[in-house]
Amino acid sequence: ARVPVARDPLCRSVCRSTHPPAGKRHPSRAMIQYRHGTWGFTFAWSLKGSVFPQALALSLPCAVIAAALNYALNNISDLDVSISSAGLNVLGGFSFILGFLIVFRSQTAYARWWEGCTLLQQTRGEWFNAFSGCMAFCSSAPDKQEEVVRFQHRLVRLISMLYGAALNEVSEMRSNAFEFIDLDDFESEGLEYLGTSVSKCEIVLQWVQRLVVEAHNAGVLDVAPPILTRVFNHLGNGIVFFHNAQKLNDFPMPFPLSQIIIFMLIFHWMLTAVVTATSVESTIWVAFISFVVVFGFWGVHYIGMELEQPFGDDANDLPLREMQVDMNTLLREVMHVRARSPPKFEYDPACHKQLRTTTVSLEEYITRVVSMGDLRLNMTTSERRRTRPKRKSRLQSLWPQVLSPKANFQRDQSGDSEDAASTEGAAAVIPDGGAAERSSTDSSAGECHASFASDDDRPRPAPISTATSSPSGGCPVAGGGA
């Protein structure tokens, strides 16, 4: 009997999304994409994801208050409230400690942000490797193909659910709707239990592991048990990386550190306005110095606050939804029939044995091969060889006799009349128990001799067939010669 299934319209709407064009992976649209430009500062005028508005909201009032206080002290009141050098030294030490704490927090916040990104990517890589391994281990027996297809479609949906559940648990976004691969036709009792569980990711992981064991027992996965353990290793590594990413939500920045930093920033804001107003004579310089100092301290502080929690909705947070979409795209591509087995290859020893290399754009090369289409399929092996560009390796073009000396010598011995000069040169170096005779009556040979300035300039094949090495390990010497 058919089990009841869950058909949620919301699930169907979530499953629909736009995907990047085939053959091209784009960077995440949720992250702020920017370019430095020619001079390196053109991007700095953008306010999306910037801490400038927050820092300006505190630095501008400080500059105005400091300028007003300086004007009042210089033009209205006759009080002498200048700060001594000892007071300035104390303020400098206070600013140094505050700057150290702010920089330390910003560095720690960036480390948390980067660690969260790294752990989620490692989780995805481990689980995708487990899925890819299961796809490779599937049986190729004809009587098992229907069970293999059922297993693959069930597994791909569970892997998509697994990664989506992991992102859902670490997410601090207002809406936790993620893309899943068609959750219809799963039994409602299992999904109901998953909805009430507090550890959804662990439950789905258990389902995946149990599915792999059942498939192996049924012969769907035709692989030895020691090899199959690689799948469980990838699944286990992925859940460990996920728990390490989850700690960033469970354990925020220590409260005392955040508390002391914010109080010191408030005191510094007030002290900056008073000190600059009483220490600097020019009102303009008072406003400018107060603005720059407060803007810098509070700006770095807000950067730390922006990066401290990487799983939220802010512009600089990690693109969790896009990461799930990318995972589903990878799963769909591996499920394609062309990805389940490697492409066929026609081995031609005359061309392939040399292992030649080619520098070419992979996309352009694939486009050119696809454009040939049926024409290439109807070609014979010799015709395909003729269509390839005639290329020689660098060694072959420089030293042809070194690569195949014996073959060259034999070819020159059996050459026709137009190679007579080369044949005579070969006979001159072959010992025959006496001096080699040269034919002076051959007109073609005479013409050939006349074309060279000296007898040594004429190309001759290397004496390989009868050459022997010298006793001292030097150059080879013709056998039988002096």
Side-chain angles (χ1 to χ4, degrees):
R2 185 177 177 85
V3 297
V5 297
R7 299 185 179 275
D8 189 0
L10 178 61
C11 173
R12 289 182 176 272
S13 63
V14 170
C15 289
R16 301 190 185 97
S17 66
T18 57
H19 299 280
K24 193 71 174 179
R25 293 180 63 183
H26 297 282
S28 173
R29 298 179 181 178
M31 297 295 294
I32 301 175
Q33 303 296 330
Y34 64 92
R35 294 184 178 181
H36 295 283
T38 304
W39 301 101
F41 59 84
T42 55
F43 71 96
W45 306 107
S46 177
L47 294 180
K48 180 182 179 182
S50 175
V51 297
F52 280 11
Q54 297 166 290
L56 286 172
L58 291 172
S59 58
L60 286 177
C62 181
V64 172
I65 293 174
L69 184 59
N70 177 268
Y71 180 81
L73 293 176
N74 293 338
N75 300 306
I76 300 175
S77 177
D78 295 334
L79 296 176
D80 185 11
V81 291
S82 60
I83 301 178
S84 62
S85 59
L88 294 177
N89 292 334
V90 173
L91 179 62
F94 177 82
S95 300
F96 173 78
I97 296 174
L98 176 60
F100 173 80
L101 291 176
I102 292 177
V103 171
F104 171 76
R105 179 180 181 178
S106 298
Q107 291 178 343
T108 305
Y110 177 74
R112 288 168 58 89
W113 185 90
W114 186 249
E115 184 182 11
C117 175
T118 302
L119 292 173
L120 290 183
Q121 290 293 94
Q122 289 176 331
T123 301
R124 185 183 72 170
E126 292 289 347
W127 288 342
F128 177 78
N129 285 338
F131 172 76
S132 178
C134 290
M135 294 289 291
F137 297 154
C138 286
S139 175
S140 57
D143 57 335
K144 292 287 184 180
Q145 291 309 302
E146 183 177 356
E147 297 181 42
V148 167
V149 171
R150 291 179 179 274
F151 165 75
Q152 291 174 347
H153 280 269
R154 190 178 179 187
L155 178 64
V156 71
R157 285 161 174 80
L158 288 178
I159 293 294
S160 175
M161 187 189 302
L162 177 63
Y163 193 63
L167 296 179
N168 185 27
E169 290 195 28
V170 301
S171 173
E172 294 291 333
M173 297 185 296
R174 290 182 291 272
S175 175
N176 288 331
F178 292 91
E179 177 190 274
F180 296 96
I181 297 180
D182 189 15
L183 295 181
D184 294 342
D185 294 320
F186 279 107
E187 59 177 355
S188 57
E189 288 81 0
L191 295 181
E192 182 181 1
Y193 172 74
L194 181 65
T196 58
S197 175
V198 296
S199 303
K200 297 179 176 60
C201 186
E202 288 79 359
I203 296 300
V204 179
L205 176 65
Q206 181 65 24
W207 290 349
V208 172
Q209 294 183 123
R210 185 58 190 173
L211 176 64
V212 172
V213 172
E214 293 176 354
H216 182 261
N217 293 335
V220 175
L221 295 178
D222 187 12
V223 65
I227 305 301
L228 187 61
T229 56
R230 295 176 59 88
V231 174
F232 294 97
N233 289 337
H234 288 308
L235 293 173
N237 293 337
I239 198 66
V240 171
F241 291 139
F242 160 69
H243 282 294
N244 285 332
Q246 199 174 21
K247 72 181 181 183
L248 301 179
N249 279 346
D250 298 338
F251 308 104
M253 193 75 69
F255 171 75
L257 181 61
S258 300
Q259 183 186 40
I260 192 64
I261 289 176
I262 195 66
F263 271 97
M264 291 182 69
L265 280 171
I266 295 174
F267 291 147
H268 183 266
W269 187 93
M270 296 184 293
L271 290 175
T272 300
V274 174
V275 171
T276 53
T278 57
S279 302
V280 182
E281 296 182 359
S282 175
T283 304
I284 297 177
W285 279 108
V286 167
F288 179 76
I289 294 174
S290 301
F291 173 82
V292 170
V293 172
V294 174
F295 182 86
F297 274 88
W298 283 90
V300 177
H301 170 69
Y302 282 127
I303 291 175
M305 293 181 60
E306 186 78 11
L307 302 179
E308 180 181 354
Q309 175 50 260
F311 304 132
D313 285 323
D314 296 336
N316 294 291
D317 290 338
L318 298 178
L320 301 184
R321 291 192 179 93
E322 283 72 16
M323 295 171 69
Q324 173 70 4
V325 171
D326 193 23
M327 178 66 165
N328 292 334
T329 302
L330 295 177
L331 296 176
R332 288 192 185 94
E333 291 184 352
V334 175
M335 284 289 293
H336 195 276
V337 63
R338 291 296 182 183
R340 299 179 188 178
S341 59
K344 296 180 180 179
F345 177 75
E346 296 184 6
Y347 176 70
D348 185 5
C351 297
H352 298 146
K353 195 173 183 179
Q354 301 176 12
L355 298 178
R356 297 179 299 179
T357 59
T358 303
T359 302
V360 64
S361 173
L362 183 59
E363 290 79 7
E364 295 179 359
Y365 178 78
I366 293 176
T367 302
R368 185 169 67 252
V369 172
V370 173
S371 64
M372 297 181 66
D374 298 334
L375 178 62
R376 180 177 174 84
L377 296 178
N378 296 329
M379 287 182 179
T380 62
T381 302
S382 60
E383 290 174 346
R384 294 184 186 180
R385 189 187 308 167
R386 286 196 297 269
T387 58
R388 296 191 182 101
K390 302 299 181 182
R391 296 175 298 177
K392 291 185 177 181
S393 65
R394 186 176 182 182
L395 184 62
Q396 188 177 9
S397 61
L398 292 178
W399 301 307
Q401 289 87 0
V402 175
L403 291 177
S404 184
K406 186 174 182 180
N408 288 345
F409 177 75
Q410 294 175 353
R411 184 176 65 252
D412 290 335
Q413 286 291 325
S414 60
D416 52 11
S417 59
E418 62 183 8
D419 297 326
S422 299
T423 306
E424 280 191 353
V429 297
I430 298 177
D432 55 356
E437 296 183 356
R438 299 178 181 234
S439 176
S440 59
T441 60
D442 194 332
S443 58
S444 61
E447 294 175 359
C448 180
H449 285 298
S451 62
F452 296 98
S454 64
D455 192 52
D456 293 334
D457 294 334
R458 186 173 62 258
R460 301 174 182 177
I464 297 300
S465 59
T466 58
T468 58
S469 300
S470 62
S472 60
C475 298
V477 182

